[in-house]
Amino acid sequence: MEENRSFDSFFGTYPGADGIPMRGGAPTVCVPNGVGRCVKPFLDPNGLVDSGGAHGALAGRRDVDGGRMDGFVRVTDRQLIRECRRNRQSTACSRLRRPNVMSYHDASQIPNYWKYARDFVLQDHMFEPNWGWSLPAHLWLVSGWSAECRDPYRPSTCTTNLGHGPIAPLRRHRTGPAFGWTDLTYLLHRYHVTWASYVQKGAAPDCLTGPIDCYARLKGPSTPGMWDPLPDFTDVRQDHQTAAAQESLSRFYAAAADGSLPNVSWVTPDWADSDHPGSPVGAGQAWVTRLVNAVMRGPDWDRTAIFLAWDDWGGFYDHVRPPVVDAQGYGLRVPALVISPYARRGHVDHQTLSFDAYLKFIEDDFLGARRLDPRTDGRPDPRPDVRENEKILGDLVKDFDFRRQPRPPVLLPLHPR
C-alpha cells in the first residue's frame, strides 16, 4: 500500500482506462482556481516530487462538490486564493495557474507502474473505502471499518470516526490497544491462516505533510503507526500476534527468497518510499519494484497474487464521482494494480471496487467466505454494515484466468530511464 495519489494523477492518460476526459489529446475538463479562471490537468513538468493537497474527510467531500468534481484547487490553495485576490500581481496568482493538485504523471515518469499495468491488471474504479486520509484508509484495509472506541476492551463502545478522533485513544492508551473492533487477523488466527504485516523501518508518515501533526513520539521514531495500525488492535494483542503485526521488511525478503511467505501479507513503506507528496515518486516506484522482483524470483511466485494500491487521493484531481454506499464512503478513486502469474494480461478492470474487495478476496480464498460480520464472526462490534456484502462491490477473482499456465516473472529495473 503506497500513499496519496488519485487515479487520474498516475493513470489519467493510460490507454483504455477511464482517465482524464480528452479531445484531440487535450483535456476537456477545467477546474475553477478560485480567482476567476480554471485549470486543466497538466503533465507535471518537474517530474517526480509533488506537494499534493488537503485530504481529510471534509476536503474529500468539498473536492467532489456534489458530483461536480471541481473543488480541488479551492480546497487546497485557499491561502493562495486570498493572497491573489488582495494583489493580482502577486506570485500567488501565478502559482494558481499551475496548482500541483491538477498535475499528473505518465509512462515517461513512472514507467514501471505503467509496465505492470500493461503486463497485468489495472483497476480504474478502485475507490478509497472512506472519506479522508491515511489512518481511516489503513484501518479499513485490515478491518472494514474506521472507528473510535471509548474503551478498546469493549467493542460495543466503538463508533464510526473518519476524522482525527482515533489519535486521541493513542494518547490515552500509550501502552495499550487503541482499536477495539474486530480486524481480519482475528478470523485468520482463529482458522489457522498464516499472516504477517511487514513494516519498513524509517521515518514515520505525515510528519512533514498531511492533515494532522506528526505523532511519531507516540510509537517511536521508526514505526509508521498510522500506516500499520494492526499492533494497536485489541484482538491482535489478545491473540498474542503483535510480533506478526510488525515484522521487519528484511524478513519479508527472506521469506520471499526461501518460499516461506505467509498466506496473507501486508507490506508497509516508510515515508521516503511511499509516493507520498514530498518524497520522490521514483523512490516509491523503486521500492515497489524491489518487492515485486523479490516475489517473482522466489518459489512462491506461481501461487501468488500481489495487490498494489494507494491509500487515498492525496488531494490530487480526479474526474470520477465516487458512488455512495453509506455515510462513510466511498471516497475518491485511487490507482490499483493486480500482479500475478494468473492475472489477465493487459486487462483494465472497470468493476466498482474498494479496499473491501481485498477483505472479500481473502475471506473467500482462505476462510470459506466467512465475513467480518458481527452476527457470525464470534466477536460482535457495532459496525454499521458489512461492506464485503455490498451489491455494488466487484469481485477480484475476475482479474484472474486460472485456465492458463502461470506466466513467467516480469523483472524490472529499480531505476528505469
Side-chain angles (χ1 to χ4, degrees):
M1 181 64 74
E2 292 286 278
E3 295 290 316
N4 291 49
R5 299 286 166 172
S6 71
F7 183 87
D8 278 345
S9 72
F10 264 16
F11 292 99
T13 58
Y14 186 86
D18 185 0
I20 299 166
M22 299 271 193
R23 182 179 299 117
T28 60
V29 292
C30 202
V31 171
N33 70 352
V35 291
R37 296 187 178 184
C38 66
V39 182
K40 293 185 176 183
F42 60 91
L43 181 65
D44 187 347
N46 298 319
L48 299 177
V49 179
D50 298 289
S51 57
H55 52 282
L58 181 58
R61 290 185 171 91
R62 288 177 172 173
D63 281 354
V64 171
D65 192 19
R68 288 177 285 274
M69 310 305 292
D70 65 359
F72 297 86
V73 182
R74 295 194 303 266
V75 168
T76 288
D77 293 316
R78 288 176 294 176
Q79 181 61 36
L80 291 178
I81 291 170
R82 286 193 291 266
E83 292 177 12
C84 180
R85 286 175 176 173
R86 286 196 299 264
N87 180 5
R88 291 288 176 163
Q89 305 304 315
S90 68
T91 58
C93 294
S94 61
R95 291 172 62 186
L96 285 170
R97 297 188 189 104
R98 303 278 279 185
N100 187 246
V101 294
M102 296 303 298
S103 67
Y104 64 82
H105 300 282
D106 66 7
S108 69
Q109 297 174 337
I110 47 174
N112 284 10
Y113 290 150
W114 278 51
K115 176 67 173 173
Y116 289 139
R118 292 189 185 104
D119 286 348
F120 300 102
V121 175
L122 174 67
Q123 297 161 329
D124 69 353
H125 284 82
M126 174 65 76
F127 295 90
E128 184 185 1
N130 55 278
W131 292 104
W133 54 292
S134 290
L135 180 56
H138 283 265
L139 290 169
W140 221 290
L141 175 68
V142 297
S143 73
W145 195 23
S146 174
E148 180 177 7
C149 308
R150 294 192 306 276
D151 181 350
Y153 293 98
R154 295 170 56 208
S156 62
T157 69
C158 301
T159 55
T160 298
N161 191 303
L162 301 181
H164 296 184
I167 303 303
L170 288 174
R171 294 195 179 101
R172 289 201 300 269
H173 306 282
R174 296 181 71 156
T175 60
F179 310 122
W181 65 98
T182 308
D183 70 85
L184 185 61
T185 70
Y186 175 77
L187 291 179
L188 297 177
H189 178 71
R190 181 177 180 181
Y191 292 101
H192 311 291
V193 178
T194 58
W195 69 272
S197 180
Y198 297 95
V199 182
Q200 182 182 18
K201 301 301 182 183
D206 278 356
C207 293
L208 304 180
T209 62
I212 65 169
D213 292 332
C214 175
Y215 70 100
R217 62 187 180 278
L218 298 176
K219 292 185 62 62
S222 62
T223 302
M226 75 173 71
W227 295 350
D228 179 39
L230 280 171
D232 289 315
F233 272 90
T234 303
D235 56 10
V236 171
R237 298 192 180 199
Q238 290 175 334
D239 288 339
H240 307 290
Q241 296 290 291
T242 52
Q246 47 192 346
E247 292 274 18
S248 68
L249 191 63
S250 62
R251 301 205 43 170
F252 172 86
Y253 286 115
D258 66 19
S260 61
L261 284 169
N263 296 128
V264 178
S265 302
W266 292 275
V267 190
T268 304
D270 74 345
W271 185 84
D273 292 327
S274 68
D275 286 336
H276 195 289
S279 63
V281 171
Q285 181 180 248
W287 188 80
V288 169
T289 303
R290 185 179 290 110
L291 292 173
V292 175
N293 284 351
V295 175
M296 288 181 170
R297 289 190 175 105
D300 287 330
W301 165 243
D302 65 357
R303 53 182 186 272
T304 293
I306 300 171
F307 299 104
L308 170 62
W310 285 254
D311 70 338
D312 64 57
W313 83 110
F316 289 101
Y317 173 74
D318 195 83
H319 79 281
V320 173
R321 178 180 185 173
V324 177
V325 294
D326 57 28
Q328 287 74 52
Y330 297 145
L332 283 96
R333 282 196 312 172
V334 295
L337 295 155
V338 181
I339 302 168
S340 172
Y342 300 99
R344 298 171 63 184
R345 187 190 300 268
H347 176 61
V348 179
D349 182 354
H350 302 304
Q351 296 182 96
T352 298
L353 299 166
S354 83
F355 299 172
D356 310 307
Y358 299 138
L359 294 173
K360 178 181 177 181
F361 183 87
I362 295 168
E363 291 163 350
D364 289 350
D365 201 23
F366 294 109
L367 296 169
R370 296 178 181 89
R371 299 281 183 250
L372 280 172
D373 186 337
R375 297 172 300 177
T376 61
D377 63 19
R379 193 178 183 275
D381 59 40
R383 66 184 62 210
D385 52 5
V386 180
R387 279 285 198 83
E388 300 96 303
N389 294 335
E390 290 287 348
K391 293 182 179 179
I392 195 175
L393 185 67
D395 190 346
L396 294 176
V397 171
K398 294 181 180 180
D399 290 334
F400 300 88
D401 183 356
F402 295 109
R403 297 170 300 177
R404 297 181 179 274
Q405 291 296 310
R407 289 158 48 200
V410 180
L411 300 171
L412 300 181
L414 301 187
H415 301 287
R417 289 187 176 183

